[in-house]
Amino acid sequence: MIAPGTEPGLWRTARALAARDLRLAWRRRGDALQPVLFAVLVVVLFALALGRDPQRLAADAIAVLWLAVLLAGQLALDSLFRSDAEDGSLEQWLLAPVPLSWLVLARVTMHWLTTALPLIAVSPLLAEMLHLPHDQLPMLLASLLLGTPLLSLIGGIVAALTVGIRRSGILVSLLSLPLYVPVLVFGAGSVAAAARGQDPAGALLMLAAGLVVALVVAPLATAAAIRISLS
């Protein structure tokens, strides 16, 4: 029994979970590099398929970059809660003295930091490979910074729903990809609007609004999905 006054607080619990996830990510750093390598491979294949014309590559660069980031994030989505379910840690989450939704939010945040943030970091290099005009790069980074956390929050719900199903990688992709379409539309659309000289604020505001709503709703929905999967 935990003595009164010694219960772990929300931030202390989140820091402990984040430190554990960082240690595991460092031990499995080869797996952590897979999304980045996959995104590079997607960009290279598109560049080879579209030819050497810089103008043609630049015209399709926005869509290719967003698709590369979106698909690369799928690689680590199935393992978001899988290892915790296999070693029994996920059941301990249900007994923790902190809300399950808070633990879910901490895990999804670490998933974004270890998966999506490296992709955003290498996106200038990928953009250079596709001859994306330099003046469009800040808008691309802004759309990715708003869109990728939203993708992680949505993907967390799907990963929680399928955590009790073995070999559910394809199922996770089939369920999550349709939900990703609005994020892809507004994310790539904001950069395309800026490239045409139009105001991209509307698309960015839609991404920001979706992110705010997801930060409130997605952890609760994910926690409910985990309870359903483990019941």
Side-chain angles (χ1 to χ4, degrees):
M1 180 180 296
I2 300 177
T6 61
E7 296 88 350
L10 295 179
W11 292 109
R12 182 179 177 184
T13 305
R15 287 195 300 268
L17 184 59
R20 174 182 179 271
D21 289 345
L22 285 176
R23 287 194 299 268
L24 291 176
W26 177 252
R27 293 173 186 173
R28 305 169 184 171
R29 48 190 178 274
D31 295 339
L33 290 176
Q34 287 182 5
V36 175
L37 296 177
F38 181 83
V40 173
L41 180 60
V42 170
V43 170
V44 170
L45 290 177
F46 267 100
L48 292 174
L50 295 175
R52 298 182 179 180
D53 186 4
Q55 293 183 351
R56 185 178 181 184
L57 289 173
D60 298 327
I62 300 170
V64 172
L65 289 170
W66 254 97
L67 281 174
V69 171
L70 188 150
L71 294 176
Q74 291 283 316
L75 295 180
L77 190 58
D78 182 53
S79 61
L80 186 57
F81 303 109
R82 177 74 56 190
S83 60
D84 296 285
E86 292 175 350
D87 63 15
S89 299
L90 205 57
E91 295 179 354
Q92 297 300 316
W93 286 19
L94 300 176
L95 305 176
V98 295
L100 178 58
S101 57
W102 177 257
L103 298 175
V104 165
L105 181 59
R107 168 55 57 79
V108 172
T109 301
M110 292 308 303
H111 173 268
W112 179 80
L113 287 174
T114 57
T115 303
L117 195 59
L119 291 172
I120 298 175
V122 301
S123 58
L125 174 61
L126 301 180
E128 191 68 27
M129 294 171 60
L130 294 172
H131 299 278
L132 182 74
H134 292 170
D135 58 345
Q136 298 179 24
L137 184 59
M139 185 57 60
L140 173 66
L141 295 175
S143 66
L144 290 175
L145 286 172
L146 287 174
T148 50
L150 184 52
L151 294 178
S152 295
L153 289 166
I154 295 173
I157 301 175
V158 178
L161 285 171
T162 59
V163 72
I165 304 174
R166 293 185 177 182
R167 300 180 181 178
S168 60
I170 297 178
L171 180 60
V172 170
S173 298
L174 290 176
L175 293 176
S176 60
L177 285 176
L179 302 176
Y180 285 174
V181 171
V183 183
L184 176 64
V185 170
F186 289 115
S190 63
V191 188
R196 294 192 299 266
Q198 301 174 354
D199 187 9
L204 290 179
L205 288 175
M206 289 298 294
L207 285 177
L211 179 57
V212 171
V213 173
L215 283 171
V216 176
V217 176
L220 298 175
T222 305
I226 289 176
R227 291 190 177 95
I228 293 172
S229 299
L230 297 181
S231 60

